[in-house]
Amino acid sequence: MHQQKRQPELVEGNLPVFVFPTELIFYADDQSTHKQVLTLYNPYEFALKFKVLCTTPNKYVVIDAAGAVKPQCCVDIVIRHRDVRSCHYGVIDKFRLQVSEQSQRKALGRKEVIATLLPSAKEQQKEEEEKRIKEHLTESVFFEQSCQPENRAVSSGPSLLTVFLGVVCIAALMLPTLGDMESLVPLYLHLSVNQKLVAAYILGKGFKDALVLVCRGLLISTVTECV
């Protein structure tokens, strides 16, 4: 026997209500904004009744303030501002949309939409821009910019290590060679021919580099004097 599927019992006030937009803004200097449209969506598989309530009903005209929405359909609710005066600028009013099942009177869900009357859209944009700039200025954190000196090539003379190495090589060349029996220098200080060649090579290479630096300095000095 086929059993009919029962719809779960809905709890009062817990049904989500889908309305767009959630905020209405009317501009006094733009008559096209004096009429706004609210769209109520019904994504459920059962029909809904709706009713529109307002905190200040004397300021607005609501077309189709009550009606029904078919399952998985939507309905447009037109709201017109009829009391556009400067005394109402910035005042926040509220609309409440209540929905319920067609067969019941209890409200299954509700949604509130705020409505505001502003003097001009341009003034609002200006205020929002000033507010945005103010927020950026108050929230910004500034850090000190680190200064890094430029890497400049500075010509300098030979380092202490080069000088020390040159002195050691000169001393090595002055020491006696292995096999020189007439020298008074202790035998452990006698160097082989290969060791002296290495010292001579290192000393010659260092002398060459030093000579290049000296020639470069002389050339720069000559050009400076000519200028």
Side-chain angles (χ1 to χ4, degrees), residues 53-67:
L53 307 176
C54 184
T55 55
T56 53
N58 58 322
K59 292 168 58 176
Y60 302 92
V61 176
V62 180
I63 301 175
D64 296 331

Side-chain angles (χ1 to χ4, degrees), residues 66 97 113 200:
L97 281 80
V113 177

